[in-house]
Amino acid sequence: MLVLGIESSCDETGVALVQWQDQAMPTLLSHALYSQIDMHQAFGGVVPELASRDHIRRVLPLTQEVLAESGRSLADVDVVAYTRGPGLAGALLVGAGVACALGAALDKPVLGVHHLEGHLLSPFLSADPPEFPFVALLVSGGHTQLMRVDGVGRYQLLGETIDDAAGEAFDKSAKLMGLGYPGGPALAKMAEQGDAKAYALPRPLLKSGNLDFSFAGLKTAVLVQAQRMVAADLAHSLGQQPSQVQPTGSSTAGFDALPRAQQCDLAASTQAAIVEVLVKKSMLALKHTGLQRLVVAGGVGANRALREQLNAACAKRAVRVHYPELHLCTDNGAMIAMAAAMRLQSGLQQAGKTYAFDVKPRWPLDSL
Ligand code: KG4
Ligand code: ZN
C-alpha cells in the first residue's frame, strides 16, 4: 500500500510517500518540505491568510517532487492522507481540498489525520522505533501534553498546559530577546554559550503533584529580568546605582546591546526553566503509569538540552526514551502519511471515497 501524506496545518507544507506490506512497519519512501518561516518572520509570527495562500503554491510542486524522487506516479498512490486538524482553518482547508481533489480525480480513498497523532507516531519512522505502551511527551508550538499511549488510537491524556505551550514559551521569550520568529531554535543556540544558573526563573507547577504545565508566567519573568539587565547596564554607563534607573513599560529595548555573555545567560536560564519542568513532569508521568518507555515528539523535541536531560533522567530509571529523527521533529508530511498508514494497517480506520471534507481547527487527541 502506498500512502501520500499532505501536511498544511500551520507554516510548513509537507508531502510524503509511505509504503507498507501486511503487518510490516511502514517505511518512508520520500518526503519534501517547504517552510514559510522566512515569509512570516517580517511579521513576528504566522499570518494565517499568507500561510493558506502559500500552501496553495507549494503543495502540488512538492507532490511532484516526492513522486519523482521515489520513481512513482500518482496512479501508484493507494490512499491520499491529509491533516484534518488541529491547526489554522484556512491552512488546513488547502491540504484537505487538494487531498480530496486528488482522491476524486484518481478514484482513490482519502483519510483525514490528526496532526498530533502524526507527531506522536513520528518516532516509528526512526531507526529505533518504540513499542507500545509508552508515555508520550508532546511538545510543539501549540501543544504541551503528556499522554499514555497503549496502541494506535488508544490515547489517554495525563496532563497538559493550562496556558502557553512549551514552544510558545521558547518563542515568546526569544521575541523579548529580539531573536525573531520562531525564536525557539535561536534561543536554544544562544543558551549553549550561557550559564543556566545565572538567573533564577520560576518553574511553574513543578511541585503541583499533577501532570499539568503552565508557561505563561515564565515569559513575564523573562521580561522583568531582561528589563532589569537593561536598566542595570544603563545605570552602569551613567555612573548611577541600578535602583536609580527604572525600566519602562513592556519594552526590552536595549537588550540586544547588552554584552553577549549576559544575553546568553538569560537564554540559558530560560531554557533551563522550561526543560526542568518538562523533564520532571515526564518522570512523574512514568511513575504514575508504571511504564518504562518514553516517546518525545513535536518541535521542541529537537531541543538538545531537553534531549540530554531526558536521556540522563531516563537512564537513571532504566527507562527507554525514543525521539523522531531530528528533521522529523517539526511539522512534516512524513508523520501524516505514517499516522494514516498505521491507522489503516491496524484496522482502526478505513479510508473512504467520500470527497466532501471538513477540517477541525480544534480537535482533542484523546477524542479520537
Ligand atoms: O511541532 P512544530 O513544528 O509545530 C507545531 O505543531 O506547533 O513545533 C514548532 C515549535 C516552535 O515553537 C519552535 O520554536 C519549537 O518548536 N522548536 C524548538 C526547537 N526547534 C523547534 N524549541 C526549542 N529548541 C529547539 N531546538
Ligand atoms: Zn506540529
Side-chain angles (χ1 to χ4, degrees):
M1 291 285 279
L2 191 63
V3 180
L4 176 74
I6 299 176
E7 155 65 30
S8 71
S9 67
C10 188
D11 57 354
E12 255 117 18
T13 323
V15 181
L17 278 172
V18 160
Q19 188 179 39
W20 89 92
Q21 244 179 350
D22 306 322
Q23 286 311 305
M25 185 64 75
T27 53
L28 179 63
L29 294 187
S30 60
H31 84 111
L33 191 70
Y34 182 85
S35 170
Q36 306 176 351
I37 282 174
D38 289 347
M39 183 178 73
H40 297 297
Q41 219 151 29
F43 303 93
V46 178
V47 184
E49 180 61 24
L50 293 183
S52 314
R53 292 184 198 190
D54 205 61
H55 286 306
I56 295 172
R57 278 192 284 272
R58 310 293 168 189
V59 66
L60 288 177
L62 289 174
T63 304
Q64 281 162 342
E65 197 178 317
V66 296
L67 288 168
E69 199 185 308
S70 58
R72 307 298 168 104
S73 72
L74 270 181
D76 298 326
V77 173
D78 295 302
V79 176
V80 186
Y82 62 94
T83 306
R84 188 178 174 203
L88 301 170
L92 289 165
L93 282 168
V94 176
V98 169
C100 290
L102 276 176
L106 300 168
D107 192 27
K108 296 287 167 64
V110 294
L111 184 65
V113 172
H114 196 294
H115 179 84
L116 292 180
E117 185 174 42
H119 276 303
L120 194 76
L121 300 177
S122 61
F124 285 93
L125 286 163
S126 71
D128 176 28
E131 278 169 30
F132 297 113
F134 53 76
V135 168
L137 172 67
L138 268 174
V139 271
S140 70
H143 294 84
T144 298
Q145 299 185 329
L146 279 161
M147 313 273 315
R148 180 193 166 105
V149 179
D150 286 292
V152 179
R154 295 171 62 199
Y155 312 128
Q156 183 197 343
L157 184 66
L158 302 172
E160 66 182 331
T161 183
I162 57 170
D163 43 54
D164 288 355
E168 250 175 310
F170 268 103
D171 294 341
K172 288 181 177 174
S173 303
K175 200 168 177 181
L176 289 171
M177 296 182 209
L179 295 177
Y181 174 86
L187 190 148
K189 204 161 162 224
M190 274 181 81
E192 299 210 341
Q193 292 154 38
D195 173 7
K197 294 202 171 80
Y199 303 107
L201 295 171
R203 269 73 170 152
L205 300 189
L206 187 63
K207 302 218 163 79
S208 64
N210 66 17
L211 297 169
D212 286 338
F213 302 86
S214 165
F215 289 108
L218 180 62
K219 70 166 186 294
T220 312
V222 172
L223 170 72
V224 171
Q225 184 57 48
Q227 288 181 328
R228 270 194 209 134
M229 292 159 70
V230 173
D233 191 61
L234 185 61
H236 180 74
S237 62
L238 295 174
Q240 295 177 342
Q241 291 300 313
S243 57
Q244 291 176 273
V245 180
Q246 288 303 318
T248 50
S250 60
S251 159
T252 48
F255 184 80
D256 56 353
L258 292 178
R260 171 117 182 128
Q262 280 189 34
Q263 296 184 35
C264 292
D265 283 352
L266 185 58
S269 302
T270 306
Q271 175 174 271
I274 299 169
V275 166
E276 184 181 344
V277 178
L278 293 176
V279 172
K280 294 240 165 95
K281 294 272 173 166
S282 301
M283 295 309 115
L284 193 61
L286 289 162
K287 194 173 156 199
H288 282 187
T289 55
L291 297 177
Q292 287 295 102
R293 204 177 280 276
L294 178 69
V295 161
V296 185
V300 181
N303 185 271
R304 212 161 85 184
L306 177 65
R307 286 188 176 213
E308 281 169 9
Q309 291 182 39
L310 279 175
N311 288 346
C314 287
K316 253 198 229 162
R317 294 164 177 80
V319 166
R320 285 289 312 273
V321 55
H322 299 260
Y323 305 93
E325 305 283 339
L326 256 188
H327 68 285
L328 297 180
C329 275
T330 44
D331 294 348
N332 62 82
M335 68 185 198
I336 300 305
M338 184 64 174
M342 289 181 77
R343 284 187 84 81
L344 293 167
Q345 192 181 35
S346 67
L348 199 65
Q349 202 168 349
Q350 292 195 331
K353 288 189 178 177
T354 308
Y355 303 114
F357 58 89
D358 63 355
V359 294
K360 294 188 164 206
R362 289 180 184 277
W363 189 9
L365 181 56
D366 57 348
S367 72
L368 272 188

